[in-house]
Amino acid sequence: MTAQPKLRPKPGSIPTDPGVYRFRDSHGRVIYVGKAKNLRARLSSYFQDFAGLHPRTQSMVATAADVDWTVVGTEVEALQLEYSWIKQYDPRFNVKYRDDKSYPYLAITFNEEFPRVQVMRGAKRKGVRYFGPYSHVWAIRETVDLLLRVFPVRTCSAGVFKRAKSSGRPCLLGYIDKCAAPCVGKVTPAEHRALAEDFSSFMAGDTNRYVRGIEQQMRAAAGEQDYERAARLRDDIQALRTALEKQSVVLGESTDCDVIAFAEDPLEAAVQVFYVRGGRIRGQRGWVVDKVEDVGTGRLVEQFIAQTYGAIGPGDAADAADGAAAAIPREVLVSELPADPGAVDAWLAEHRGGPVSLRVPKRGDKKSLLETVAKNAAQALARHKTQRAGDLTTRSKALGEVQEALGLAEAPLRIECYDVANLQGTHVVASMVVFEDGMARKSEYRRFSIRGSGAGGAEQNDVAAMHEVIKRRFTRYLEESEKSGEAIGGPAGESDGEAGPEPAKFAYPPNLVVVDGGRPQVDAAQRALDELGVTDIAVCGLAKRLEEVWLPGDDDPVILARAGEGLYLLQRVRDEAHRFANTYHRQMRAKALTGSALDDVPGLGPARRNALLKHFGSVRRLAAATVAEIGEVPGIGARTAATIQSMLNGDRDTGSQGPDQGGAQQSNGG
């Protein structure tokens, strides 16, 4: 018996949030449901040391063919959802509670003359009002202990009540005012039942009325200078507020709704649906779909609703996946409304046979639940993309498709992609990202600050910037290749026993250069390579609008299969270059907003810059000072003072720089 090798998810694809997970067998049946405070840590424990697992756990992992999870907000929510799913699926490897006594309820026995508050398990009884289920018995006891300060309802058993009644002496709770002591006639049956009704109303959510009432009593007692009573009432208010903790996963008891959220990128979308019935999540389902056209979230919502509820007629009740009721509920909560929500409302109402509210929740528990569903959708999409990107067969297929589409002699095992970012021609920067064997190599990412090719850097457009960055990068490649060859070259067979120096990072040439843009950017990149005499590197461009692939000199683009792995790889490379360029561009803009002319003075650190500004009061006064006056500042020597005075008055060194100077920097992915 061995663990399933394909079962283990990539560690990075598992979130660290609390949640509930399900193992399924090869037929799709749920065989185990578990909860975790940290999903990544818990799921990883199943695959660390198979031999060290409990025998039953070994059998479960060996039987399982897939594992999925649902993220929730807190561990308490995870417990509640775990319980619901254990009841729903009856998994064979979970511990069985045949009599349903695993989860306790807080119950009030209104079927008795003197209602009692107690912990109850098992089947529901007529005349008893239930609240819960709770995660632990101690959680119920803590809640009851807090509320008994304000609602001193009977909690004793029938035997204790009878003995106290016959003896005429109440129990300890009666003496410390945590019971109204109906056993000895301190309150009438009607008065005690009213206390129990108030206790029940508070637990049902009617809380503000009681808190406000006690606050008024506290203020009145303080006004009468009865500070001891006011302090007791203050403590009562604190007890009520402590007992008001609630769980965001559980909505009102009468709430029936479907909660739908999307996560998407230009080619794919993930949708998650939580089915809420009676205020509880009774089921969940998710899909990842290929987008066959460029549509927004509202259109995706409309299409999904049509396909999900289209087969349901008035009064019908269909079963959704995972056993959740898929009949159209009174409310459908979505992350974005369709273009014509009124028409969709009417269509849903016709199929349901009653009114349906389609809306985007703006606040409260429903908004929190929608955020949880959206988080699950994002995790599902990220997991799907990681599985595609991390699969060796898939990556090989993607590289093969790119090779075939571009007519390359061999698969492009090293791909470099370039993107330019600017804001109305200012702070123009470029990025270079590297993918090897279909995977990102963030240690080899580079970023460039574009200087401009016109007089004074006036020509700051994407095409010119692309030409500049390609020329700078491959000029450096030629220089470092030459240096590397000189360092390790020599007659064959000669060696002094030491390895030659490691080639610099720019000395590695790519098989394929991808630029973010269409034909103008591609032609600019090819022109830069031609000027340097580099003829063995292929160039292509990926245009965002229609995901077209452009080759140098071609009048028509190459169209790759929209759902193919080759286009997916090129898109992922392009998006990563876009992200890296925008990150650097934002850093440059932030620095420009907060920096000063002193930032460019070589060798002048933050401490000495602050000393100069403190001494002169402003950069303008510093620029008007003489070298001798600047040299009076502690830590500023004569040479540094001359440099500062020269740079602040425009006498900057305009000497030439190497092709990688002034912007080509190493980054770890940024």
Side-chain angles (χ1 to χ4, degrees), residues 444 446 476 480-481 484 501-508:
E444 304 209 9
R446 296 291 181 274
R476 183 67 179 271
E480 292 187 353
S481 297
S484 179
E502 181 182 353
K505 296 299 177 66
F506 274 114
Y508 291 107

Side-chain angles (χ1 to χ4, degrees), residues 284-493:
Q284 172 256 344
R285 189 176 181 186
W287 297 262
V288 176
V289 296
D290 291 323
K291 295 169 66 174
V292 297
E293 54 183 335
D294 186 14
V295 297
T297 305
R299 176 59 178 161
L300 288 174
V301 169
E302 183 178 331
Q303 292 174 343
F304 178 78
I305 287 175
Q307 295 181 27
T308 303
Y309 302 122
I312 303 174
D316 290 346
D319 289 332
D322 304 331
I328 301 175
R330 290 189 295 269
E331 274 189 298
V332 179
L333 307 179
V334 295
S335 52
E336 186 174 320
L337 289 174
D340 189 355
V344 178
D345 275 347
W347 184 87
L348 286 170
E350 180 182 350
H351 280 71
R352 180 176 180 266
V356 177
S357 173
L358 177 69
R359 65 188 186 90
V360 179
K362 299 298 184 183
R363 60 184 180 272
D365 289 344
K366 291 179 180 178
K367 182 177 184 295
S368 298
L369 183 56
L370 179 65
E371 290 171 352
T372 299
V373 180
K375 195 172 185 179
N376 278 274
Q379 291 289 349
L381 183 60
R383 182 185 177 202
H384 172 73
K385 292 170 75 70
T386 301
Q387 287 175 337
R388 289 184 65 176
D391 183 72
L392 179 60
T393 303
T394 302
R395 299 203 316 265
S396 299
K397 180 181 179 183
L399 293 172
E401 289 182 5
V402 172
Q403 176 189 357
E404 182 179 357
L406 304 184
L408 306 179
E410 58 184 13
L413 298 181
R414 179 181 170 104
I415 300 174
E416 291 180 4
C417 185
Y418 298 83
D419 187 25
V420 175
N422 70 88
L423 181 63
Q424 296 181 345
T426 61
H427 308 301
V428 185
V429 299
S431 67
M432 169 186 126
V433 301
V434 179
F435 275 58
E436 289 188 352
D437 198 22
M439 298 291 287
R441 285 288 301 272
K442 292 193 174 183
S443 63
E444 304 209 9
Y445 286 12
R446 296 291 181 274
R447 56 193 190 182
F448 302 82
S449 179
I450 303 301
R451 305 171 188 142
S453 57
E459 187 181 350
Q460 296 284 6
N461 55 68
D462 281 355
V463 175
M466 187 63 71
H467 178 273
E468 177 185 329
V469 71
I470 296 295
K471 191 167 185 177
R472 283 167 58 183
R473 184 266 183 268
F474 286 98
T475 298
R476 183 67 179 271
Y477 154 62
L478 294 175
E479 291 177 351
E480 292 187 353
S481 297
E482 184 178 352
K483 292 178 183 178
S484 179
E486 291 174 355
I488 64 175

Side-chain angles (χ1 to χ4, degrees), residues 240-251:
L240 291 181
R241 287 175 174 164
T242 303
L244 282 178
E245 296 178 355
K246 57 191 180 72
Q247 308 157 12
S248 62
V249 159
V250 180
L251 302 177

Side-chain angles (χ1 to χ4, degrees), residues 97-135:
Y97 296 95
R98 298 294 182 185
D99 57 352
D100 291 335
K101 289 185 179 179
S102 58
Y103 289 81
Y105 287 82
L106 187 155
I108 307 175
T109 58
F110 284 102
N111 57 351
E112 298 180 23
E113 181 184 8
F114 296 99
R116 173 191 175 193
V117 174
Q118 66 180 103
V119 177
M120 274 195 176
R121 305 177 188 263
K124 304 287 179 68
R125 287 187 269 174
K126 187 176 181 180
V128 179
R129 198 168 300 172
Y130 294 88
F131 300 93
Y134 282 76
S135 54

Side-chain angles (χ1 to χ4, degrees), residues 131-400:
F131 300 93
Y134 282 76
S135 54
H136 302 284
V137 171
W138 57 260
I140 298 179
R141 299 198 191 283
E142 283 187 354
T143 301
V144 171
D145 186 63
L146 289 168
L147 295 183
L148 288 181
R149 291 180 55 94
V150 184
F151 310 107
V153 185
R154 168 198 165 204
T155 58
C156 59
S157 65
V160 172
F161 185 87
K162 186 179 293 185
R163 284 196 300 272
K165 188 175 183 179
S166 61
S167 67
R169 295 196 306 268
C171 64
L172 177 62
L173 292 178
Y175 283 110
I176 64 175
D177 295 329
K178 284 196 172 182
C179 178
C183 53
V184 294
K186 284 189 176 182
V187 293
T188 65
E191 291 171 337
H192 186 267
R193 183 169 288 272
L195 279 175
E197 290 286 357
D198 289 343
F199 187 105
S200 176
S201 297
F202 185 89
M203 290 297 299
D206 184 13
T207 58
N208 292 333
R209 174 163 59 98
Y210 296 102
V211 173
R212 285 196 301 266
I214 298 175
E215 285 178 343
Q216 291 173 358
Q217 296 177 35
M218 179 184 68
R219 294 191 190 97
E224 297 170 1
Q225 298 185 353
D226 187 356
Y227 298 118
E228 291 185 2
R229 182 167 179 267
R232 287 196 300 271
L233 292 170
R234 177 203 61 199
D235 294 341
D236 290 349
I237 293 171
Q238 182 58 42
L240 291 181
R241 287 175 174 164
T242 303
L244 282 178
E245 296 178 355
K246 57 191 180 72
Q247 308 157 12
S248 62
V249 159
V250 180
L251 302 177
E253 290 186 1
S254 61
T255 301
D256 289 349
C257 65
D258 288 353
V259 188
I260 304 170
F262 281 82
E264 56 183 300
D265 64 18
L267 290 182
E268 295 174 306
V271 56
Q272 289 276 317
V273 184
F274 279 19
Y275 303 98
V276 179
R277 299 295 182 267
R280 293 213 170 270
I281 299 174
R282 300 303 182 188
Q284 172 256 344
R285 189 176 181 186
W287 297 262
V288 176
V289 296
D290 291 323
K291 295 169 66 174
V292 297
E293 54 183 335
D294 186 14
V295 297
T297 305
R299 176 59 178 161
L300 288 174
V301 169
E302 183 178 331
Q303 292 174 343
F304 178 78
I305 287 175
Q307 295 181 27
T308 303
Y309 302 122
I312 303 174
D316 290 346
D319 289 332
D322 304 331
I328 301 175
R330 290 189 295 269
E331 274 189 298
V332 179
L333 307 179
V334 295
S335 52
E336 186 174 320
L337 289 174
D340 189 355
V344 178
D345 275 347
W347 184 87
L348 286 170
E350 180 182 350
H351 280 71
R352 180 176 180 266
V356 177
S357 173
L358 177 69
R359 65 188 186 90
V360 179
K362 299 298 184 183
R363 60 184 180 272
D365 289 344
K366 291 179 180 178
K367 182 177 184 295
S368 298
L369 183 56
L370 179 65
E371 290 171 352
T372 299
V373 180
K375 195 172 185 179
N376 278 274
Q379 291 289 349
L381 183 60
R383 182 185 177 202
H384 172 73
K385 292 170 75 70
T386 301
Q387 287 175 337
R388 289 184 65 176
D391 183 72
L392 179 60
T393 303
T394 302
R395 299 203 316 265
S396 299
K397 180 181 179 183
L399 293 172

Side-chain angles (χ1 to χ4, degrees), residues 472-622:
R472 283 167 58 183
R473 184 266 183 268
F474 286 98
T475 298
R476 183 67 179 271
Y477 154 62
L478 294 175
E479 291 177 351
E480 292 187 353
S481 297
E482 184 178 352
K483 292 178 183 178
S484 179
E486 291 174 355
I488 64 175
E494 292 186 7
S495 174
D496 58 3
E498 296 183 0
E502 181 182 353
K505 296 299 177 66
F506 274 114
Y508 291 107
N511 303 104
L512 175 64
V513 167
V514 180
V515 299
D516 182 12
R519 182 175 176 181
Q521 287 82 2
V522 173
D523 290 342
Q526 185 63 58
R527 187 170 68 254
L529 292 177
D530 293 341
E531 291 170 0
L532 296 173
V534 178
T535 60
D536 57 346
I537 296 176
V539 179
C540 75
L542 185 61
K544 288 188 182 71
R545 190 172 67 88
L546 298 174
E547 303 295 350
E548 303 164 327
V549 178
W550 288 89
L551 297 177
D554 286 1
D555 294 329
D556 298 312
V558 176
I559 305 298
L560 274 69
R562 190 165 182 84
E565 298 297 334
L567 180 59
Y568 174 76
L569 173 61
L570 292 179
Q571 183 207 22
R572 195 157 59 93
V573 172
R574 188 269 317 278
D575 291 346
E576 179 68 354
H578 186 66
R579 178 199 67 80
F580 194 45
N582 284 343
T583 300
Y584 185 36
H585 178 61
R586 284 192 293 268
Q587 292 173 358
M588 295 286 285
R589 283 164 46 201
K591 183 178 179 181
L593 291 173
T594 59
S596 73
L598 294 177
D599 294 340
D600 297 327
V601 178
L604 196 64
R608 293 200 290 175
R609 285 200 300 267
N610 291 335
L612 285 166
L613 292 173
K614 184 176 181 181
H615 182 84
F616 289 100
S618 69
V619 175
R620 178 180 296 177
R621 291 181 181 176
L622 175 60

